Tab-separated table of all heavy atoms in Angstrom:
chain	number	residue	atom	x	y	z
A	42	MET	N	17.199	13.592	46.997
A	42	MET	CA	17.843	12.485	46.300
A	42	MET	C	19.227	12.218	46.864
A	42	MET	O	19.644	11.073	47.005
A	42	MET	CB	17.936	12.785	44.801
A	42	MET	CG	16.603	12.743	44.079
A	42	MET	SD	16.730	13.310	42.388
A	42	MET	CE	17.779	12.058	41.683
A	43	LEU	N	19.956	13.301	47.210
A	43	LEU	CA	21.284	13.139	47.794
A	43	LEU	C	21.199	12.415	49.123
A	43	LEU	O	21.992	11.514	49.405
A	43	LEU	CB	21.940	14.511	47.973
A	43	LEU	CG	23.303	14.520	48.678
A	43	LEU	CD1	24.314	13.705	47.884
A	43	LEU	CD2	23.801	15.944	48.865
A	45	SER	N	18.863	10.360	50.008
A	45	SER	CA	18.539	8.968	49.686
A	45	SER	C	19.768	8.215	49.213
A	45	SER	O	20.008	7.068	49.588
A	45	SER	CB	17.455	8.928	48.602
A	45	SER	OG	17.213	7.617	48.173
A	46	PHE	N	20.583	8.885	48.378
A	46	PHE	CA	21.815	8.267	47.873
A	46	PHE	C	22.774	7.938	49.005
A	46	PHE	O	23.363	6.874	49.054
A	46	PHE	CB	22.476	9.212	46.870
A	46	PHE	CG	23.936	8.954	46.649
A	46	PHE	CD1	24.366	7.780	46.068
A	46	PHE	CD2	24.881	9.891	47.032
A	46	PHE	CE1	25.708	7.541	45.850
A	46	PHE	CE2	26.218	9.665	46.830
A	46	PHE	CZ	26.637	8.480	46.238
A	47	LEU	N	22.922	8.883	49.964
A	47	LEU	CA	23.825	8.644	51.085
A	47	LEU	C	23.346	7.472	51.925
A	47	LEU	O	24.132	6.676	52.423
A	47	LEU	CB	23.933	9.908	51.945
A	47	LEU	CG	24.641	11.102	51.282
A	47	LEU	CD1	24.558	12.325	52.174
A	47	LEU	CD2	26.091	10.754	50.967
A	49	VAL	N	21.605	4.877	50.765
A	49	VAL	CA	21.913	3.666	50.005
A	49	VAL	C	23.396	3.344	50.084
A	49	VAL	O	23.805	2.200	50.285
A	49	VAL	CB	21.482	3.832	48.526
A	49	VAL	CG1	22.013	2.684	47.690
A	49	VAL	CG2	19.964	3.904	48.436
A	50	SER	N	24.257	4.389	49.951
A	50	SER	CA	25.695	4.171	49.992
A	50	SER	C	26.131	3.643	51.338
A	50	SER	O	26.960	2.742	51.429
A	50	SER	CB	26.428	5.479	49.679
A	50	SER	OG	26.111	5.925	48.391
A	78	LEU	N	21.070	7.775	31.290
A	78	LEU	CA	20.266	7.722	32.510
A	78	LEU	C	20.626	8.932	33.357
A	78	LEU	O	21.806	9.172	33.615
A	78	LEU	CB	20.566	6.436	33.281
A	78	LEU	CG	19.976	6.278	34.686
A	78	LEU	CD1	18.453	6.112	34.615
A	78	LEU	CD2	20.609	5.073	35.394
A	79	ASN	N	19.620	9.706	33.804
A	79	ASN	CA	19.937	10.856	34.638
A	79	ASN	C	19.596	10.592	36.107
A	79	ASN	O	19.178	9.485	36.469
A	79	ASN	CB	19.256	12.131	34.105
A	79	ASN	CG	17.741	12.082	34.223
A	79	ASN	OD1	17.161	11.210	34.870
A	79	ASN	ND2	17.069	13.041	33.593
A	80	SER	N	19.747	11.607	36.940
A	80	SER	CA	19.546	11.443	38.377
A	80	SER	C	18.098	11.179	38.752
A	80	SER	O	17.817	10.699	39.851
A	80	SER	CB	20.038	12.686	39.123
A	80	SER	OG	21.414	12.889	38.924
A	127	ASP	N	20.226	16.242	33.959
A	127	ASP	CA	19.169	16.420	34.946
A	127	ASP	C	18.205	17.539	34.588
A	127	ASP	O	17.157	17.682	35.216
A	127	ASP	CB	19.779	16.689	36.323
A	127	ASP	CG	20.491	15.470	36.874
A	127	ASP	OD1	20.230	14.357	36.379
A	127	ASP	OD2	21.316	15.623	37.798
A	258	ASN	N	32.707	9.565	36.525
A	258	ASN	CA	31.834	10.113	37.554
A	258	ASN	C	32.248	11.528	37.924
A	258	ASN	O	33.166	12.107	37.324
A	258	ASN	CB	31.772	9.196	38.779
A	258	ASN	CG	33.097	9.119	39.534
A	258	ASN	OD1	34.044	9.861	39.251
A	258	ASN	ND2	33.167	8.213	40.498
A	259	SER	N	31.597	12.099	38.931
A	259	SER	CA	31.824	13.494	39.289
A	259	SER	C	33.227	13.755	39.825
A	259	SER	O	33.723	14.880	39.749
A	259	SER	CB	30.787	13.938	40.326
A	259	SER	OG	30.825	13.084	41.465
A	301	VAL	N	30.042	4.258	36.027
A	301	VAL	CA	30.409	4.375	37.440
A	301	VAL	C	29.684	5.581	38.026
A	301	VAL	O	29.531	6.600	37.360
A	301	VAL	CB	31.939	4.514	37.606
A	301	VAL	CG1	32.476	5.719	36.848
A	301	VAL	CG2	32.350	4.569	39.072
A	302	ASN	N	29.223	5.467	39.284
A	302	ASN	CA	28.564	6.605	39.911
A	302	ASN	C	29.453	7.249	40.964
A	302	ASN	O	30.621	6.871	41.132
A	302	ASN	CB	27.189	6.212	40.465
A	302	ASN	CG	27.267	5.280	41.666
A	302	ASN	OD1	28.349	4.996	42.196
A	302	ASN	ND2	26.122	4.801	42.115
A	303	ALA	N	28.915	8.213	41.706
A	303	ALA	CA	29.717	8.999	42.638
A	303	ALA	C	30.266	8.179	43.795
A	303	ALA	O	31.275	8.551	44.397
A	303	ALA	CB	28.897	10.169	43.172
A	304	SER	N	29.635	7.051	44.128
A	304	SER	CA	30.133	6.214	45.217
A	304	SER	C	31.102	5.146	44.721
A	304	SER	O	31.435	4.219	45.455
A	304	SER	CB	28.966	5.548	45.954
A	304	SER	OG	28.292	4.641	45.101
A	305	ARG	N	31.551	5.284	43.474
A	305	ARG	CA	32.451	4.330	42.816
A	305	ARG	C	31.833	2.937	42.673
A	305	ARG	O	32.534	1.929	42.665
A	305	ARG	CB	33.790	4.233	43.556
A	305	ARG	CG	34.692	5.424	43.297
A	305	ARG	CD	36.081	5.230	43.885
A	305	ARG	NE	36.925	6.386	43.598
A	305	ARG	CZ	38.080	6.628	44.207
A	305	ARG	NH1	38.521	5.807	45.146
A	305	ARG	NH2	38.791	7.687	43.895
A	349	ILE	N	24.374	3.528	35.477
A	349	ILE	CA	24.039	3.651	36.897
A	349	ILE	C	24.051	5.126	37.273
A	349	ILE	O	24.927	5.875	36.835
A	349	ILE	CB	25.007	2.840	37.780
A	349	ILE	CG1	24.566	2.906	39.262
A	349	ILE	CG2	26.451	3.295	37.616
A	349	ILE	CD1	25.299	1.930	40.167
A	350	ASN	N	23.061	5.563	38.053
A	350	ASN	CA	23.055	6.952	38.521
A	350	ASN	C	23.440	7.012	39.994
A	350	ASN	O	23.696	5.980	40.633
A	350	ASN	CB	21.699	7.631	38.239
A	350	ASN	CG	20.534	6.971	38.968
A	350	ASN	OD1	20.725	6.203	39.921
A	350	ASN	ND2	19.324	7.281	38.528
A	351	ASN	N	23.471	8.211	40.548
A	351	ASN	CA	23.948	8.368	41.924
A	351	ASN	C	22.958	7.877	42.968
A	351	ASN	O	23.311	7.729	44.138
A	351	ASN	CB	24.307	9.830	42.191
A	351	ASN	CG	25.581	10.236	41.492
A	351	ASN	OD1	26.392	9.393	41.108
A	351	ASN	ND2	25.773	11.532	41.302
A	352	ARG	N	21.749	7.601	42.557
A	352	ARG	CA	20.782	6.976	43.448
A	352	ARG	C	20.974	5.457	43.501
A	352	ARG	O	20.423	4.777	44.349
A	352	ARG	CB	19.364	7.314	42.994
A	352	ARG	CG	18.296	6.907	43.998
A	352	ARG	CD	16.902	7.040	43.413
A	352	ARG	NE	15.937	6.392	44.275
A	352	ARG	CZ	14.782	5.912	43.858
A	352	ARG	NH1	14.462	5.999	42.584
A	352	ARG	NH2	13.951	5.340	44.695
A	353	GLY	N	21.761	4.949	42.563
A	353	GLY	CA	22.002	3.517	42.502
A	353	GLY	C	21.100	2.780	41.540
A	353	GLY	O	21.145	1.550	41.461
A	354	GLN	N	20.259	3.504	40.789
A	354	GLN	CA	19.437	2.851	39.771
A	354	GLN	C	20.327	2.384	38.625
A	354	GLN	O	21.278	3.070	38.242
A	354	GLN	CB	18.374	3.800	39.237
A	354	GLN	CG	17.291	4.150	40.246
A	354	GLN	CD	16.278	5.100	39.661
A	354	GLN	OE1	16.609	6.233	39.309
A	354	GLN	NE2	15.033	4.669	39.560
Side-chain angles (χ1 to χ4, degrees):
M42 289 172 65
L43 175 61
S45 174
F46 159 65
L47 292 174
V49 170
S50 298
L78 172 69
N79 67 11
S80 298
D127 292 342
N258 67 8
S259 56
V301 58
N302 69 7
S304 65
R305 284 188 179 165
I349 184 169
N350 62 17
N351 287 340
R352 190 190 168 206
Q354 291 179 296

